[in-house]
Amino acid sequence: MYSEEEYLMLSGIQHFSFCRRQWALIHIEQQWAENMRTADGNIMHRNVHDADFREKRGDTVTARAMAVSSSRLGISGECDAVEFRKCTGGIGVFGMEGKYSVIPIEYKRGAPKEDESDVMQLTAQAICLEEMLCCEIPFGYMFYGETRRRLKVEFGEELRRRTEEAIGEMHKLYARKHTPKVKRTKACNACSLKNICLPVLCGSKKASDYVNEMLGLEE
């Protein structure tokens, strides 16, 4: 079990799965840069993340920006949306009559990715919800702004294992304050951190040292 002081950002698993170096630059070295993709994604999430919003349609109640955490995995964050669907054999929810199944939903600006970065983020949300609500969550949904459709994600054992292993590796790197090197790929061209990352990708400097040098802040 992790203490709250050791919690990492749940959303970081998306960065980590995409690129371990990108994750370390953001979450260890506190580097960040906007591009069109990140700005567009921020607009979508601002529209979704209204913690005071709760919508009821028939037997389904949707909660926005629901805070979640897991002391077992040492992560915390927010779910874009969580649907509570009335059913038999579900769980009780404070302030609501009946029993409900729990379905996390994550919103992304683009189209479904070839890698598991989005799917692992959603899986981590489901694991947090299961720990908090003492329930089992077999599936969730990804909603992509480009396709305007939901993609169902089954939380199988292998996906859960890969997600938990990735979070464990994140904790190890964070504890060491280590920014790993990676090989350049075509995905680097779309990364908002490419101008910070690539000049020192094959060197021994930390990206933060490179930025400080360029700004004349080095000691």
Side-chain angles (χ1 to χ4, degrees):
M1 294 294 180
Y2 290 89
S3 65
E4 290 188 11
E5 291 75 18
E6 297 174 299
Y7 283 7
L8 299 177
M9 291 180 63
L10 186 155
S11 59
I13 194 170
Q14 193 266 347
H15 301 132
F16 188 83
S17 178
F18 172 73
C19 173
R20 285 160 167 72
R21 183 173 177 82
Q22 184 198 67
W23 172 82
L25 289 171
I26 295 171
H27 296 272
I28 296 178
E29 298 195 24
Q30 302 295 304
Q31 304 288 340
W32 182 249
E34 290 280 8
N35 64 10
M36 183 183 70
R37 291 178 175 85
T38 60
D40 194 16
N42 288 337
I43 291 172
M44 170 178 279
H45 279 86
R46 279 200 299 269
N47 293 334
V48 173
H49 278 225
D50 182 356
D52 296 325
F53 177 83
R54 178 172 286 191
E55 179 184 28
K56 187 176 188 304
R57 291 188 179 182
D59 290 334
T60 300
V61 176
T62 303
R64 308 283 189 191
M66 183 173 174
V68 295
S69 63
S70 167
S71 60
R72 181 173 66 85
L73 298 181
I75 55 174
S76 64
E78 287 186 345
C79 296
D80 285 345
V82 179
E83 284 187 354
F84 295 92
R85 295 182 182 177
K86 186 172 286 188
C87 67
T88 57
I91 62 167
V93 179
F94 180 78
M96 295 162 53
E97 295 183 0
K99 301 291 185 180
Y100 294 82
S101 61
V102 183
I103 304 170
I105 305 168
E106 177 67 15
Y107 288 75
K108 298 294 182 183
R109 61 167 294 279
K113 296 182 176 67
E114 294 181 2
D115 59 46
E116 288 187 321
S117 55
D118 292 345
V119 170
M120 290 178 75
Q121 182 178 350
L122 183 65
T123 304
Q125 293 175 6
I127 294 172
C128 288
L129 286 166
E130 288 177 333
E131 183 176 318
M132 293 170 58
L133 302 176
C134 299
C135 66
E136 293 184 5
I137 302 176
F139 67 90
Y141 291 103
M142 297 296 311
F143 179 88
Y144 289 96
E146 190 171 308
T147 61
R148 307 297 297 177
R149 290 184 178 180
R150 287 184 173 187
L151 176 66
K152 187 175 183 179
V153 177
E154 303 277 355
F155 302 129
E157 289 185 8
E158 275 300 303
L159 178 57
R160 289 172 181 268
R161 180 187 61 78
R162 291 193 297 273
T163 299
E164 295 193 16
E165 286 181 352
I167 294 171
E169 189 176 344
M170 287 162 58
H171 275 287
K172 291 178 181 178
L173 289 175
Y174 193 86
R176 293 168 54 202
K177 297 294 187 286
H178 175 65
T179 300
K181 297 178 182 179
V182 295
K183 292 183 179 180
R184 181 174 181 174
T185 69
K186 63 180 181 179
C188 294
N189 295 326
C191 178
S192 63
L193 299 182
K194 65 180 180 180
N195 292 328
I196 297 172
C197 172
L198 294 182
V200 294
L201 198 57
C202 298
S204 58
K205 293 182 180 179
K206 294 172 62 177
S208 56
D209 294 336
Y210 173 83
V211 172
N212 288 337
E213 181 180 323
M214 292 299 98
L215 295 175
L217 300 177
E218 71 274 19
E219 297 180 359

